[in-house]
Amino acid sequence: MIGRLNHVAIAVPDIAVAARQYSEVLGAIVSPPSDLPEHGVRVVFVELGNTKIELLEPLSPASPLAGFLENNVSGGIHHVCYEVADIRAARDRLKQGGARVLGDGEPKTGAHGKPVLFLHPKDFSGTLIELEQV
Ligand code: CO
């Protein structure tokens, strides 16, 4: 059901510092920052040949990401995103299997303008999973 790895997201306390590190130290192609108020985050994309890294900074202390950074003060891997062809069909199949979908269960528009859903990390080896319909 899941397809390619779309991206790995890393929560960072300072996105300007992290973006500079990826561009200058690691020599990667890095996008300008963009704000996603619906998700409470500022995001920078690092373009790799086979996938992307998404650097995420909370937009406010109320962001769900802020709590993650309280427990991981220097940042850390926040989620992985897998591609699916039909996000509602994937959701229904996962729910039938007992997996928990976060939020109200309806897909939201993600960082790439496509529908996304998140799955509870306790159901998947302690990893927050994002599904993106491509
Ligand atoms: Co993501």
Side-chain angles (χ1 to χ4, degrees):
M1 180 175 65
I2 61 169
R4 300 190 328 158
L5 173 69
N6 186 276
H7 62 268
V8 175
I10 301 175
V12 300
D14 185 330
I15 203 163
V17 168
R20 211 162 41 239
Q21 190 173 53
Y22 267 84
S23 65
E24 291 175 14
V25 180
L26 294 173
I29 298 164
V30 172
S31 78
S34 60
D35 290 357
L36 302 174
E38 191 189 358
H39 297 276
V41 297
R42 177 168 293 151
V43 60
V44 162
F45 299 109
V46 180
E47 295 289 342
L48 304 177
N50 59 343
T51 190
K52 294 183 280 285
I53 303 296
E54 199 174 80
L55 303 174
L56 299 173
E57 178 190 70
L59 276 179
S60 79
S63 167
L65 207 62
F68 180 89
L69 282 167
E70 273 170 30
N71 297 324
N72 303 271
V73 288
S74 50
I77 293 179
H78 184 259
H79 65 266
V80 294
C81 177
Y82 303 125
E83 298 179 354
V84 293
D86 182 334
I87 200 161
R88 287 189 167 80
R91 172 198 61 192
D92 293 346
R93 176 172 156 176
L94 286 158
K95 281 173 87 168
Q96 266 170 15
R100 287 167 284 180
V101 177
L102 300 188
D104 63 7
E106 283 306 307
K108 283 188 180 181
T109 301
H112 314 103
K114 308 223 173 96
V116 302
L117 279 175
F118 286 90
L119 307 176
H120 201 296
K122 288 205 171 130
D123 296 335
F124 294 97
S125 312
T127 306
L128 178 61
I129 291 178
E130 179 179 22
L131 298 178
E132 181 173 301
Q133 180 172 297
V134 294

